Amino acid sequence: MHFFQSPPKFCCTLVFLLGFYFITSPAQASNAPSSIAVFDWTIAEALLSLDPAPVLMGNVAAFHTWTGNDYVDADITNIGTRSFPNMELLSSIDPQYILLAPRQTRMAATLANIAPSYITHSFPFVNNSSDELWATFDAFILEVGELSGRRASAEQLITNTKLNLASLKDELDPHPPLLVVQLITEQYVRVYGDNSMFNEVLHHLGLNNAWTGKTNQWGYSMVSIRELFKAKEARLVIMESAFPIGIENNIENSGMWRYLPSVQRGDFIVLPSSFWIGGVHPSARRFADALVKAL
């Protein structure tokens, strides 16, 4: 499978000639890789799920929160933040190579003196088109597996996820459409629809998503709580917020929330904040497990 395509003409610069985009897998460069640096959580979670060499990444504490503490025992070194890594520390550790998301292409030049960089070309969530999103998840996991020398582990993860979702689907009875939301303030929420990992999971579980509005590249719309009243039959699935709002824990007594049909019926669900919104198979499985258990 060929993951690296010919770059557009404007990328054919000295950076390209020096080899920041390689056709061969970086795992082929050494049989005993030292460590891998990443600056994107989607890549980080995919990589860590394959049990790789030591990983260097930023914002580690927050990452653990949004990935259910699944990787607290992994060999991870905190290198600062995703946007502003500790370059001195990174250089002293001397990673074997660096994996970047397409939007981080410009970082390759900055990191050139530290290690070669490889762009994950099958990275999902690059636009707001949901066509074949799960197929992109599979391609992305396989690419990360290829780049890290763990192709077999990537293939097994894809198979196990498929079997897990199929098994969970068999446990479910018919349900009304669901509204998957996350509070931003008391008046505004993220509601997840097309192009989201959550919507893909609902589809694989045979569940319907009540939100059909436009979404951004991460698959959510930012809307007023008033918009949620339009889906009267929908059952609310509320994910704990990234911010210390706490409304979801006392929603029956909170402002307009208590008047939402799902809250009035008492059939809403509150799930922990352990699913990375840009995650693929690992976060999808955690979300599916938690959702089916709650339903």
Side-chain angles (χ1 to χ4, degrees):
M1 182 177 293
H2 300 285
F3 294 112
F4 294 90
Q5 307 296 325
S6 298
K9 292 182 178 179
F10 66 86
C11 290
C12 296
T13 61
L14 180 62
V15 170
F16 174 75
L17 295 174
L18 288 175
F20 298 136
Y21 301 91
F22 292 86
I23 293 179
T24 57
S25 166
Q28 297 172 357
S30 170
N31 292 325
S34 53
S35 58
I36 305 169
V38 297
F39 299 91
D40 174 89
W41 283 358
T42 302
I43 298 175
E45 186 181 29
L47 184 62
L48 287 165
S49 69
L50 304 180
D51 192 24
V55 173
L56 314 176
M57 58 180 292
N59 302 98
V60 175
F63 173 81
H64 286 320
T65 296
W66 291 107
T67 54
N69 290 313
D70 274 9
Y71 309 105
V72 291
D73 295 326
D75 190 347
I76 301 173
T77 298
N78 194 338
I79 53 174
T81 69
R82 289 176 289 169
S83 301
F84 300 100
N86 185 327
M87 299 296 285
E88 184 177 353
L89 175 61
L90 187 62
S91 181
S92 69
I93 297 174
D94 189 25
Q96 186 189 20
Y97 54 92
I98 300 165
L99 297 184
L100 299 173
R103 68 180 183 281
Q104 298 172 325
T105 300
R106 292 182 179 178
M107 293 181 68
T110 303
L111 299 167
N113 292 329
I114 296 176
S117 299
Y118 302 84
I119 308 300
T120 52
H121 291 291
S122 59
F123 188 90
F125 310 112
V126 294
N127 53 47
N128 60 356
S129 173
S130 62
D131 293 342
E132 302 296 330
L133 181 58
W134 195 271
T136 304
F137 288 179
D138 288 347
F140 175 67
I141 283 289
L142 290 175
E143 182 179 8
V144 173
E146 194 78 37
L147 291 171
S148 61
R150 284 158 180 81
R151 169 80 185 209
S153 295
E155 292 174 347
Q156 191 62 55
L157 176 59
I158 290 172
T159 299
N160 290 346
T161 302
K162 182 178 179 180
L163 293 173
N164 176 245
L165 293 177
S167 176
L168 291 173
K169 181 179 180 180
D170 290 340
E171 298 178 20
L172 285 172
D173 295 323
H175 279 80
L178 304 179
L179 270 176
V180 182
V181 303
Q182 189 175 46
L183 282 69
I184 301 302
T185 69
E186 291 191 18
Q187 292 80 31
Y188 290 91
V189 300
R190 289 177 177 175
V191 56
Y192 290 89
D194 281 349
N195 206 53
S196 70
M197 176 271 290
F198 305 104
N199 190 65
E200 290 296 302
V201 171
L202 296 186
H203 174 73
H204 278 76
L205 295 177
L207 299 169
N208 293 319
N209 193 334
W211 186 255
T212 58
K214 290 184 177 181
T215 59
N216 62 12
Q217 73 179 80
W218 299 103
Y220 68 81
S221 304
M222 187 83 75
V223 301
S224 164
I225 184 179
R226 297 177 185 275
E227 294 293 315
L228 305 184
F229 281 89
K230 297 177 181 178
K232 295 181 180 180
E233 303 302 320
R235 187 174 183 182
L236 273 175
V237 177
I238 306 168
M239 293 183 292
E240 289 179 342
S241 174
F243 310 99
I245 299 175
I247 298 174
E248 58 263 28
N249 298 316
N250 190 33
I251 201 168
E252 300 97 328
N253 303 310
S254 299
M256 291 182 65
W257 283 95
R258 57 184 170 177
Y259 298 113
L260 284 168
S262 183
V263 177
Q264 294 269 298
R265 293 192 302 266
D267 64 3
F268 67 94
I269 297 168
V270 178
L271 298 181
S273 57
S274 57
F275 331 109
W276 175 230
I277 69 168
V280 288
H281 301 73
S283 278
R285 290 181 65 172
R286 282 196 303 276
F287 174 63
D289 288 337
L291 178 63
V292 171
K293 181 179 180 180
L295 290 175

